[in-house]
């Protein structure tokens, strides 16, 4: 979630600063909008990641910027022009507080001409990947694998939530020729 938001922000930074062309971005249950203005982000009876948790997460991440003028690199839903971003795979459960911002981001990307693939999984909450035996979660894992197979690019799992060791990890990925960097849980 936060990792997918960081990956989306990194893609914006790379595009805006003339960095290397990214083959794609894979954003799974992404945390994209600090404003929390969607119906799903204000739902209090979610199984995982409540409105209170979301507010805490954004405050902790943004610090003094919280509630103010937040750059798109920090909150990718705020990007003024999403054109030129890499092809994007997005996935989210319908019982996830990030559902609506993920849908809105996918719509904006597609409208800007970015090849976009959106998957919404019925009834799944935030962090659904933990329920590996659930048939819909297995379908989600298959969808990720299929997307990666279709891109024809290499997938290098470099950084993951809770597994960020140094800022040099990204440099290592680029030096190894990574086509994309996914910040988030490892693929099943």
């Amino acid at each position: 979630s936060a990792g997918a938001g960081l990956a989306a922000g990194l893609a914006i930074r790379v595009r805006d600063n003339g960095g290397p062309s990214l083959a794609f971005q894979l954003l799974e249950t992404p945390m994209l909008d600090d404003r929390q203005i969607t119906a799903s982000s204000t739902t209090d009876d979610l199984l995982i990641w409540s409105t209170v948790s979301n507010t805490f997460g954004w405050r902790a991440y943004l610090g003094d910027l919280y509630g103010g003028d937040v750059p798109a690199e920090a909150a990718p839903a705020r990007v003024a022009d999403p054109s030129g971003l890499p092809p994007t795979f997005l996935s989210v459960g319908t019982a996830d507080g990030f559902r609506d911002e993920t849908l809105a981001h996918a719509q904006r990307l597609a409208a800007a001409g970015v090849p976009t693939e959106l998957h919404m999984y019925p009834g799944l909450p935030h962090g659904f990947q933990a329920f590996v035996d659930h048939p819909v979660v297995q379908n989600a894992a298959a969808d990720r694998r299929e997307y990666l197979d279709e891109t024809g690019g290499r997938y290098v799992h470099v950084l993951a939530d809770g597994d960020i060791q140094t800022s040099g990890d990204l440099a290592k990925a680029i030096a190894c020729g990574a086509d994309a960097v996914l910040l988030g849980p490892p693929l099943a």
Side-chain angles (χ1 to χ4, degrees):
S1 52
L6 291 171
L10 178 61
I12 293 166
R13 175 179 277 190
V14 167
R15 180 204 61 183
D16 291 351
N17 292 312
S21 177
L22 300 176
F24 64 89
Q25 55 181 338
L26 191 149
L27 308 177
E28 190 160 72
T29 66
M31 186 175 177
L32 301 166
D33 197 342
D34 64 300
R35 297 166 291 192
Q36 301 179 66
I37 54 176
T38 66
S40 67
S41 70
T42 58
T43 302
D44 284 325
D45 61 348
L46 297 171
L47 178 64
I48 299 172
W49 200 252
S50 67
T51 301
V52 171
S53 298
N54 201 29
T55 300
F56 175 80
W58 280 111
R59 283 183 185 274
Y61 172 55
L62 296 173
D64 292 340
L65 291 177
Y66 183 80
D69 187 22
V70 176
E73 291 178 10
R78 291 179 176 250
V79 67
D81 178 11
S83 63
L85 289 172
T88 304
F89 174 100
L90 301 101
S91 67
V92 68
T94 59
D96 189 327
F98 299 134
R99 179 196 65 215
D100 296 342
E101 63 198 66
T102 301
L103 176 59
H105 195 63
Q107 290 172 324
R108 291 187 66 224
L109 288 167
V114 175
T116 304
E117 186 170 324
L118 171 67
H119 293 264
M120 292 183 69
Y121 300 103
L124 293 186
H126 188 70
F128 66 78
Q129 303 84 350
F131 305 101
V132 294
D133 293 329
H134 192 285
V136 179
V137 175
Q138 292 173 352
N139 290 342
D143 290 341
R144 284 190 307 271
R145 284 190 300 272
E146 182 180 328
Y147 179 80
L148 291 171
D149 288 345
E150 288 175 0
T151 64
R154 293 179 306 274
Y155 172 79
V156 179
H157 183 74
V158 177
L159 303 173
D161 289 343
D163 192 31
I164 298 172
Q165 302 297 317
T166 69
S167 61
D169 288 338
L170 181 58
K172 290 176 193 172
I174 293 169
C176 292
D179 289 316
V181 176
L182 168 69
L183 297 172
L187 297 175

